Amino acid sequence: MTAQIRVDREKCSGHARCFAVDPDLFPIDESGYVTVRVQDVPSGQEDAAAAGALACPEGAITISAPGTSDVAE
Amino acid sequence: MTSTQSESRSDPRAGYNFRDTSPDYVLDPFVATNDLRIGQAFWTDSWGGFWTLTNGKDVRDCLQDAELFSSSGGFGIPAREKDTRIIPLELDPPEHGKYRQALGAFFGPKAVALLEGPLRQAAGGLIDEFLPDGRCEFISQFAAKFPTSAMVATLGLPVDDTAKFVQWNHDFLHHHSIGDQSEGGELSAAQRIENYLTEAVETRREAPRDDLITRLLKAEIDGRSITTEEAVSIAFQLFIAGLDTVTAVLGRSFLYLAQNQSDLAQLVADPALTTGAVEEMLRLFPIAIVTRTATRDVEFAGVSIRKGDRVLIDMDFWNRDTAEFADPNHCDFARTHNRHITFGAGRHRCLGSHLARLEVTIAMEEFHKRIPRYRLDEQAPPVPYADLVRGVNELTLLWDTK
């Protein structure tokens, strides 16, 4: 199964640190809040997705795949 | 430092004197908090009484829970005496969000990126003025002026008034609490800033211009336009939050680099490290302390916090927590995992964080391009200060001229 980016939009506070890691995986709105809610991680971009999740000061991003444990918070 | 001050700081039961004036403390208030990392919160009786959270996770949890820890109790320790609230600093959700939404796009990463050219030019211009001298008083000649020119450009205020803003802002923030009343009948700095901004807002209401204040006046809150009082309050907060804080970050960063020549040499040799260096300076020197008020009795951070208790949040407790950072007191420009919360966390995350990052990055790049080696002046040692903001008042730097 494909890994997924999951963003807790309640927690996102517009730091845009995920955007700084990878602007394509983590697009933002005009104020800096990530616009992704749930999105498949494209093949080969697992590391960038994980780095983006780990860059979030709020711990708002998780990378998950069914059958595997979540990384980040 | 006297032994009494040393003991009082290492024993949390005696409280957190974040206004300690001993030379060792003001030089590095960030290392001093290491003694206070006892895991649970502790109480200090001074300035009306307050809790200090000492565990990184508690610090972030508190900032993320605006329902339990309110901002409407007034900013500062002790809480600011107030007849009006500073918008959006002293608002809670959902009210807070309405104003943040109106402001967000002005300070988002994309809007801020458009300022890079003008800011780079402003920074370069300031440095070129003192470059031939082989010395500068970094704070008054650069660190205080540069963020002010950025704010003046953002708000659309006249460049000629920059010196006046620097002075008012300094007078205002170097009081112990925000909102000091005038003494001896003279207008306080806060009143001067407010009067100036009221006039700026009224002028733009009559004759719109192409600037932030004008666009702010078009914003709608609950389906009605923003009032003059609200616009002044917002401009006031942008003014006080955007100037002294960046000055403090610049002061602490350049003080660190002048004191740590090998780090400076590494950065100058590889300018691509600047992005990492900016993040590391921000992590190591979280210059602002913020406050909240508990909205109900709660067991939190290992203690019983009562409704109405004031809580002090020093981001340093997260930024140097070993649970979050490997070797947290070590400066590492190549640190890959660095999700510090110097800009706060939760709904009140610093609105200007993207602008601040850009300003500090540009300042380092433009300075180091022209002055790759600099050192402290032994005849004029740095004069740091520590309160709710922890910056530097005087920082004389020397370099060799050709």
Side-chain angles (χ1 to χ4, degrees):
Chain A
M1 290 291 283
T2 314
Q4 280 188 324
I5 295 168
R6 290 167 192 266
V7 179
D8 181 343
R9 299 282 288 275
E10 278 298 300
K11 272 192 176 173
C12 175
S13 295
H15 297 262
R17 302 313 293 157
C18 55
F19 174 80
V21 170
D22 194 318
D24 297 321
L25 279 177
F26 302 98
I28 52 171
D29 67 15
E30 293 301 309
S31 302
Y33 294 73
V34 68
T35 52
V36 173
R37 201 174 297 264
V38 180
Q39 187 184 289
D40 288 348
V41 178
S43 172
Q45 296 187 42
E46 290 79 5
D47 288 352
L54 284 170
C56 180
E58 307 282 351
I61 306 173
T62 46
I63 309 296
S64 63
T68 62
S69 55
D70 289 357
V71 297
E73 292 188 0
Chain B
M1 175 170 43
T2 68
S3 62
T4 322
Q5 281 162 329
S6 175
E7 280 160 22
S8 71
R9 214 165 35 240
S10 59
D11 180 0
R13 284 169 302 183
Y16 180 16
N17 183 8
F18 60 93
R19 295 195 167 111
D20 190 339
T21 53
S22 66
D24 284 0
Y25 178 75
V26 291
L27 189 61
D28 197 347
F30 310 97
V31 157
T33 52
N34 278 342
D35 296 338
L36 305 177
R37 284 175 199 279
I38 56 168
Q40 65 181 38
F42 63 84
W43 179 259
T44 303
D45 277 329
S46 312
W47 305 298
F50 60 94
W51 292 103
T52 299
L53 307 177
T54 70
N55 178 39
K57 187 176 180 302
D58 293 334
V59 164
R60 194 177 72 172
D61 287 351
C62 171
L63 291 171
Q64 287 181 331
D65 193 341
E67 204 180 316
L68 184 54
F69 295 105
S70 164
S71 293
S72 62
F75 186 83
I77 300 275
R80 194 179 73 94
E81 297 285 331
K82 55 187 180 132
D83 353 297
T84 54
R85 294 165 305 172
I86 301 175
I87 302 172
L89 183 75
E90 295 177 330
L91 298 183
D92 291 321
E95 223 187 338
H96 169 262
K98 297 171 190 170
Y99 295 91
R100 269 301 279 250
Q101 210 162 17
L103 286 167
F106 298 129
F107 292 93
K110 291 167 189 174
V112 160
L114 299 175
L115 297 172
E116 177 168 352
L119 287 182
R120 216 170 262 290
Q121 209 174 358
L126 288 171
I127 300 162
D128 285 339
E129 277 178 38
F130 52 70
L131 178 60
D133 302 343
R135 65 182 294 132
C136 73
E137 197 292 284
F138 181 74
I139 306 304
S140 60
Q141 291 185 272
F142 185 81
K145 284 183 177 171
F146 178 49
T148 309
S149 55
M151 187 55 65
V152 162
T154 314
L155 286 175
L157 299 172
V159 178
D160 291 349
D161 289 343
T162 302
K164 196 155 67 180
F165 298 146
V166 171
Q167 187 59 48
W168 288 346
N169 202 54
H170 180 87
D171 293 347
F172 176 67
L173 284 160
H174 290 255
H175 285 282
H176 273 188
S177 64
I178 286 180
D180 285 310
Q181 290 307 301
S182 57
E183 283 171 30
E186 208 182 315
L187 283 182
S188 70
Q191 288 164 320
R192 284 174 204 269
I193 299 170
E194 213 166 279
N195 290 350
Y196 181 94
L197 293 173
T198 303
E199 200 189 318
V201 168
E202 283 168 351
T203 310
R204 282 158 185 77
R205 206 183 269 291
E206 282 161 30
R209 301 182 191 180
D210 181 21
D211 60 21
L212 191 151
I213 295 178
T214 302
R215 279 177 282 162
L216 191 57
L217 288 170
K218 290 180 189 154
E220 288 199 349
I221 304 292
D222 291 333
R224 57 158 179 87
S225 354
I226 217 156
T227 67
T228 297
E229 290 71 29
E230 286 168 337
V232 169
S233 178
I234 290 167
F236 186 86
Q237 199 208 317
L238 298 180
F239 197 92
I240 59 168
L243 303 184
D244 205 56
T245 49
V246 178
T247 304
V249 171
L250 290 172
R252 288 286 173 186
S253 301
F254 279 77
L255 171 58
Y256 175 87
L257 292 169
Q259 282 174 321
N260 294 272
Q261 290 289 317
S262 62
D263 285 339
L264 174 60
Q266 188 198 9
L267 181 56
V268 169
D270 184 3
L273 284 173
T274 305
T275 305
V278 169
E279 292 309 312
E280 194 66 340
M281 292 295 98
L282 288 168
R283 182 185 71 83
L284 288 168
F285 310 121
I287 50 87
I289 290 174
V290 301
T291 57
R292 296 288 188 269
T293 306
T295 56
R296 57 178 163 84
D297 293 359
V298 63
E299 293 296 315
F300 186 86
V303 295
S304 301
I305 294 177
R306 305 290 301 270
K307 180 180 178 176
D309 282 355
R310 304 283 294 155
V311 180
L312 175 147
I313 301 120
D314 183 345
M315 269 64 86
D316 184 61
F317 286 105
W318 167 278
N319 286 5
R320 296 192 191 214
D321 193 326
T322 51
E324 177 63 24
F325 299 97
D327 202 0
N329 287 320
H330 175 64
C331 174
D332 179 4
F333 295 156
R335 192 180 284 275
T336 48
H337 180 79
N338 192 359
R339 47 175 197 169
H340 63 75
I341 57 165
T342 291
F343 294 112
R347 304 300 175 87
H348 286 273
R349 185 265 310 167
C350 173
L351 176 69
S353 66
H354 310 297
L355 179 58
R357 277 192 163 97
L358 181 65
E359 288 177 47
V360 179
T361 305
I362 287 173
M364 278 194 195
E365 287 172 350
E366 296 301 318
F367 201 93
H368 293 154
K369 202 161 38 177
R370 292 166 173 81
I371 307 169
R373 292 275 185 283
Y374 49 92
R375 57 192 184 273
L376 296 178
D377 181 358
E378 283 174 22
Q379 308 303 313
V383 184
Y385 66 90
D387 200 295
L388 290 176
V389 174
R390 299 169 284 197
V392 187
N393 277 326
E394 284 173 42
L395 176 61
T396 302
L397 300 175
L398 305 178
W399 57 90
D400 298 329
T401 51
K402 284 170 191 148

